[in-house]
Amino acid sequence: MKIVADENIPFVRQAFEPLGDVVTAPGRQMTPEQVADADALLVRSVTKVNAELLDGSTVRFVGTATIGTDHLDTTYLDRRGITWAAAAGCNANSVAEYVVAALLVLARRDGFRLADKTLGVVGVGNVGSRVVRYARALGMTVLKNDPPLQRQTHDRRFVPIERIFEADLVTLHVPLTRQAKDATWHMVDADFLSRLRADAYLLNTSRGAVVDGAALRNALQQQRLAGAVLDVWENEPDIDVELLELSALGTAHIAGYSFDGKVIGTRMIRDAACRCFGLSTEWDPRPLMPPPATPQLQVEACGRDPQDVVASVVASIYDIEKDDADLRAVGGLPLDQRGSHFDRLRRDYPIRREFGTTRVIVPPDQRGLAPIFENLGFLVG
């Protein structure tokens, strides 16, 4: 069996070579010639999988090591009888931790307490539900909006979108769809932005086109919003540099790039491929995982504000401001080099382990901090 895979899928050779011959290639440059005689194709979000890529090929399985599928023409795949699978939820915790890091940075910069703020969460699936839990661990009031899930569950704890406009910060965790009833393409348009509070922040870690970038740029230019945190962009990798400069934090579509989340994605599409081809699904990546950069951290909390303590611990595990600075370097590059800079940041992204790989040692006289760290996923000693 021949398997063609995006070279950036971690442990792809270790995971798939027991199943067949693995050929890796840059995801954004995959060609019909490369996949013509393949049995399986493994991609990430940068590869458009459609008739243009697969017509005439022998591909029988497509796996995307991502939670989203908007880069897959699933109608075409179904028509061709090609089995396809995504890694739904694989990087949900990584994205939620990114949101935690962003919230703490915004609070530090603007001098507010998260416990005094309301967070509006639009989309409460794998990622959004974790964001809700972590925001509550930080003491925030949370408003949840998810019309499809509300119709499915009849849960009265969801609120209409009008309530979301009351929030101090609004974070988006929705798929990119163009379906009429729950379409999310440009869901955040000029009208949506005009209804947000002037002192509100908008966070987008879902898909770039969920937000009308031009409308957001105008709102920020006119100071009709306090700021934006953007990890995803329209027209990636050729992003709107002016919008980046106006944003409070901007990163190169790496919110879900914890190493833990990526490896879960590899395992999930391996399992799906094995089911498709009738092979054994046994594969344990744990022996391959690198040790965390900070396996243990002693909390210094005496006389410090608890929010500041949490912020310093989170920053020591994940420094979101470094990712922001790395992307902002794009503004000093010639136009024809900006897209490759964006892609390089993603391709060469350093290993980032999740909170749960670090043990936080809380002093006996500061045990009130322990539940916060536990609820954020840290090990607590």
Side-chain angles (χ1 to χ4, degrees):
M1 179 165 64
K2 180 178 178 180
I3 302 163
V4 175
D6 185 313
E7 63 187 4
N8 288 331
I9 297 175
F11 301 147
V12 69
R13 289 193 177 278
Q14 295 92 327
F16 283 89
E17 280 183 344
L19 310 182
D21 297 324
V22 177
V23 178
T24 60
R28 208 178 288 279
Q29 284 84 45
M30 281 191 181
T31 65
E33 292 74 23
Q34 289 173 316
V35 304
D37 60 345
D39 298 286
L41 174 63
L42 313 175
V43 300
R44 291 188 61 81
S45 60
V46 297
T47 303
K48 300 295 184 184
V49 180
N50 50 27
E52 183 179 351
L53 181 65
L54 294 185
D55 262 359
S57 77
T58 57
V59 170
R60 291 181 286 156
F61 172 82
V62 172
T64 179
T66 61
I67 62 174
T69 60
D70 50 282
H71 55 295
L72 307 184
D73 185 343
T74 56
T75 301
Y76 166 80
L77 295 176
D78 290 341
R79 188 170 67 248
R80 281 278 311 274
I82 298 172
T83 302
W84 58 272
C90 69
N91 64 356
N93 196 63
S94 176
V95 177
E97 291 184 357
Y98 174 101
V99 172
V100 167
L103 292 172
L104 289 165
V105 167
L106 295 177
R108 188 200 74 221
R109 288 180 180 178
D110 284 6
F112 61 78
R113 298 191 57 76
L114 291 173
D116 297 332
K117 299 297 182 180
T118 297
L119 179 69
V121 181
V122 181
V124 195
N126 285 314
V127 178
S129 59
R130 285 172 172 81
V131 170
V132 168
R133 185 165 69 247
Y134 291 165
R136 286 174 174 161
L138 294 169
M140 302 185 76
T141 299
V142 179
L143 300 174
K144 301 187 298 180
N145 170 263
D146 192 320
L149 190 57
Q150 184 177 24
R151 290 196 299 270
Q152 178 183 337
T153 63
H154 306 289
D155 189 336
R156 295 185 178 182
R157 288 172 293 183
F158 290 108
V159 303
I161 195 67
E162 288 74 18
R163 290 287 311 282
I164 295 297
F165 298 132
E166 302 170 7
D168 302 289
L169 305 101
V170 174
T171 183
L172 310 173
H173 303 287
V174 297
L176 180 62
T177 64
R178 293 175 181 263
Q179 299 172 357
K181 188 173 184 62
D182 297 302
T184 61
W185 184 85
H186 279 194
M187 176 181 72
V188 179
D189 55 11
D191 178 65
F192 185 108
L193 293 165
S194 71
R195 300 171 73 184
L196 292 174
R197 294 169 44 164
D199 59 352
Y201 280 94
L202 177 74
L203 295 82
N204 187 17
T205 55
S206 56
R207 284 291 186 264
V210 169
V211 175
D212 181 338
L216 177 58
R217 186 178 66 244
N218 290 338
L220 292 172
Q221 286 173 333
Q222 297 170 20
Q223 298 183 335
R224 289 187 280 109
L225 282 180
V229 175
L230 301 175
D231 179 60
V232 289
W233 311 79
E234 288 192 287
N235 305 314
E236 293 178 13
D238 299 310
I239 68 171
D240 183 339
V241 174
E242 188 177 3
L243 177 56
L244 169 62
E245 292 171 346
L246 290 164
S247 299
L249 289 167
T251 52
H253 200 153
I254 48 74
Y257 264 35
S258 76
F259 199 73
D260 306 73
K262 290 185 192 179
V263 174
I264 292 171
T266 302
R267 190 188 67 210
M268 291 176 72
I269 60 171
R270 186 191 190 279
D271 289 350
C274 287
R275 289 192 295 270
C276 175
F277 294 107
L279 304 171
S280 171
T281 60
E282 292 184 10
W283 179 63
D284 184 2
R286 287 177 296 180
L288 302 171
M289 295 294 283
T294 311
Q296 185 168 296
L297 193 62
Q298 178 73 45
V299 171
E300 300 295 337
C302 184
R304 299 175 62 195
D305 182 273
Q307 180 171 287
D308 293 340
V309 175
V310 173
S312 65
V313 169
V314 167
S316 69
I317 306 304
Y318 172 46
D319 185 359
I320 191 174
E321 289 181 293
K322 181 183 183 304
D323 282 343
D324 172 74
D326 288 343
L327 182 57
R328 287 183 192 276
V330 75
L333 298 175
L335 290 175
D336 61 353
Q337 295 180 24
R338 292 178 175 180
S340 60
H341 176 75
F342 187 94
D343 278 344
R344 187 165 55 252
L345 291 176
R346 303 188 77 209
R347 184 192 67 220
D348 300 336
Y349 193 67
I351 290 175
R352 174 176 121 217
R353 299 301 305 275
E354 294 183 1
F355 296 166
T357 62
T358 295
R359 182 171 297 278
V360 177
I361 308 301
V362 180
D365 61 341
Q366 300 291 329
R367 294 305 295 175
L369 286 169
I372 299 175
F373 287 116
E374 288 175 346
N375 290 328
L376 290 175
F378 288 93
L379 303 172
V380 177

